[in-house]
């Protein structure tokens, strides 16, 4: 029961929100090969964190890489490849979810920013 209390405490401190979207494949036998993202869950309380790293490019220069992490309640289901639309302080970030790590108190998902939506 302690983990549930910690999850509630952490959730109460999260000020960001996100919409979780998942690819809906065309019906079997359909000629339409387009895939669409559909909302799975909206208004999810979360926390968005950004780390910036400099990685050598092999020719004496460095490339800056942004690593986004989304933290939310442990019972929220986020699958690898889901699209997360996160709002933080009035700014919107469109991210693609990597593999989620579930802890007793929270879910942690490393994400990449989507270049073009």
């Amino acid at each position: 029961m302690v983990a549930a209390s910690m999850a509630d405490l952490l959730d109460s401190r999260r000020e960001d929100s996100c919409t979780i979207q998942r690819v809906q494949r065309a019906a079997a036998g359909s000629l339409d090969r387009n895939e669409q993202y559909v909302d799975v869950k909206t208004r999810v309380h979360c926390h968005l964190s950004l780390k910036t790293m400099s990685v050598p490019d092999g020719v004496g220069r460095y490339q800056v890489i942004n690593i986004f992490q989304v933290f939310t309640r442990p019972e929220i289901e986020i699958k690898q490849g889901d699209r997360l639309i996160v709002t933080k302080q009035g700014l919107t970030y469109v991210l693609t979810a990597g593999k989620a790590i579930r802890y007793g108190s929270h879910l942690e998902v490393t994400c990449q920013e989507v270049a073009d939506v």
Side-chain angles (χ1 to χ4, degrees), residues 52-103:
T52 302
M53 296 177 51
S54 295
V55 179
D57 65 2
V59 292
R61 292 179 291 207
Y62 286 85
Q63 177 181 6
V64 176
I65 297 175
N66 292 325
I67 300 171
F68 291 88
Q69 288 185 297
V70 175
F71 300 87
T72 190
R73 295 185 65 89
E75 62 270 13
I76 300 295
E77 181 183 25
I78 297 176
K79 296 182 178 181
Q80 192 168 357
D82 282 356
R83 179 184 287 172
L84 306 179
I85 301 172
V86 181
T87 302
K88 180 179 186 77
Q89 297 178 347
L91 298 174
T92 301
Y93 300 85
V94 180
L95 310 169
T96 300
K99 189 170 183 174
I101 301 172
R102 192 172 315 277
Y103 297 96

Side-chain angles (χ1 to χ4, degrees), residues 2-98:
V2 172
S5 297
M6 181 60 75
D8 290 338
L9 176 66
L10 290 172
D11 196 48
S12 71
R13 316 251 323 149
R14 294 186 179 111
E15 296 178 355
D16 308 333
S17 68
C18 77
T19 296
I20 302 167
Q21 295 182 331
R22 196 161 291 145
V23 170
Q24 180 180 32
R25 306 208 185 278
S30 171
L31 296 177
D32 182 13
R33 296 191 185 272
N34 293 328
E35 298 175 337
Q36 297 182 54
Y37 281 95
V38 295
D39 291 354
V40 174
K41 195 160 181 69
T42 60
R43 297 185 192 141
V44 176
H45 288 246
C46 67
H47 174 74
L48 178 64
S49 175
L50 170 64
K51 291 186 214 175
T52 302
M53 296 177 51
S54 295
V55 179
D57 65 2
V59 292
R61 292 179 291 207
Y62 286 85
Q63 177 181 6
V64 176
I65 297 175
N66 292 325
I67 300 171
F68 291 88
Q69 288 185 297
V70 175
F71 300 87
T72 190
R73 295 185 65 89
E75 62 270 13
I76 300 295
E77 181 183 25
I78 297 176
K79 296 182 178 181
Q80 192 168 357
D82 282 356
R83 179 184 287 172
L84 306 179
I85 301 172
V86 181
T87 302
K88 180 179 186 77
Q89 297 178 347
L91 298 174
T92 301
Y93 300 85
V94 180
L95 310 169
T96 300

